[in-house]
Amino acid sequence: VSGDRWVAAWGQFLAGGLLVLPVLVVIGLPGTEATPFLLGSSLVHVVYVTALARAYTHGDFSLSYPLARGGGAMLAALGGALLLDDALGSWQWAAILVVGGGLISLTGRGASNRAIAWASLTALTIATYTLIDAAGARTSASGVTYGLALMPVSALAISVAGIAGGRVPDLVDSLRTQWWRYLLGGAAITAAYTMVLVAVRLAPVGYVTMLRESSVVLGALLGWVLLHERLGGRRVVSSLVVAAGLVLLIVAS
């Protein structure tokens, strides 16, 4: 609902990064071996925030969210199998194909090429930072400390981009009325993704990311019911296909 979606994303990451600083003082930082992964992921997050903001600008939420999140999960699952030696069986690959089919059905009639392009770039950045962070969390002594440390590092990288782009006055203006949303969003982002990075230490990336993105159904449903977006009902059906692939992935595991 923000008029400036990039600034809204910046505000949430900044709030999340500030919220975890006292926690990191108490529980400690990840080891130095995590530093390259944290830096690499933070740079990808700058591109992610930009692509996500553009996707929400040019496309409906019920299109952009399922396509970005579901596509990111599918690409991360493939990357985990190819790059991180995660083992996936034939049924798991079949489930990934079902998810892919559901995502393709989202891009049919009523979806602009610009919206699809930005959502697809968002999916690629999600897969990229997920694989970087999965490797970093597995290298670190704790997925919790890695996940929490990622937030202030990403907030710093996004802030550098915002300052360089002359967006500080826009952020200051938005904080006057939206600070509470940034705090809630930042806390939710931090908690959710830290749990993901704990989970990838215990299971293949594909399982974790696919389960995480079961929220695509909720995203499509909210876009249809609350935001009254056109074609929302059809996108809910497509998202249910994606969810069916997620269920198959877990049942076959």
Side-chain angles (χ1 to χ4, degrees):
V1 298
S2 171
D4 192 330
R5 293 171 175 86
W6 197 94
V7 168
W10 180 14
Q12 291 176 82
F13 272 89
L14 187 60
L18 293 174
L19 285 172
V20 302
L21 288 178
V23 181
L24 289 172
V25 170
V26 175
I27 69 173
L29 298 171
T32 56
E33 67 277 2
T35 301
F37 299 102
L38 290 171
L39 294 177
S41 179
S42 68
L43 294 177
V44 176
H45 270 83
V46 176
V47 183
Y48 159 73
V49 165
T50 302
L52 183 63
R54 295 292 182 89
Y56 286 155
T57 298
H58 296 292
D60 289 342
F61 180 76
S62 61
L63 167 72
S64 299
Y65 184 86
L67 186 58
R69 305 306 315 190
M74 184 180 69
L75 292 173
L78 294 172
L82 297 174
L83 302 176
L84 301 181
D85 297 323
D86 288 343
L88 296 176
S90 57
W91 279 106
Q92 283 80 30
W93 286 108
I96 290 173
L97 290 176
V98 172
V99 173
L103 294 173
I104 291 173
S105 69
L106 280 169
T107 63
R109 183 173 57 88
S112 72
N113 291 334
R114 183 174 294 182
I116 293 171
W118 283 113
S120 298
L121 177 59
T122 305
L124 180 60
T125 60
I126 289 171
T128 302
Y129 75 62
T130 298
L131 292 173
I132 293 173
D133 293 332
R138 291 174 180 179
T139 302
S140 303
S142 169
V144 173
T145 56
Y146 181 92
L148 294 179
L150 177 63
M151 291 307 298
V153 176
S154 296
L156 178 60
I158 296 169
S159 295
V160 169
I163 294 169
R167 305 306 308 277
V168 174
D170 299 324
L171 177 66
V172 173
D173 287 342
S174 71
L175 285 172
R176 294 190 179 98
T177 57
Q178 304 297 321
W179 61 269
W180 62 275
R181 284 182 172 171
Y182 296 166
L183 284 175
L184 291 175
I189 291 170
T190 304
Y193 197 49
T194 299
M195 286 189 284
V196 167
L197 296 180
V198 172
V200 295
R201 292 169 55 89
L202 307 173
V205 173
Y207 293 174
V208 177
T209 56
M210 288 294 189
L211 271 177
R212 179 193 184 199
E213 306 315 346
S214 59
S215 59
V216 297
V217 179
L218 294 176
L221 186 62
L222 290 173
W224 181 30
V225 175
L226 296 183
L227 302 180
H228 308 293
E229 294 173 345
R230 295 183 307 108
L231 303 177
R234 187 177 67 79
R235 289 167 183 161
V236 170
V237 174
S238 296
S239 296
L240 286 171
V241 175
V242 175
L246 304 178
V247 172
L248 177 60
L249 181 71
I250 302 307
V251 170
S253 63

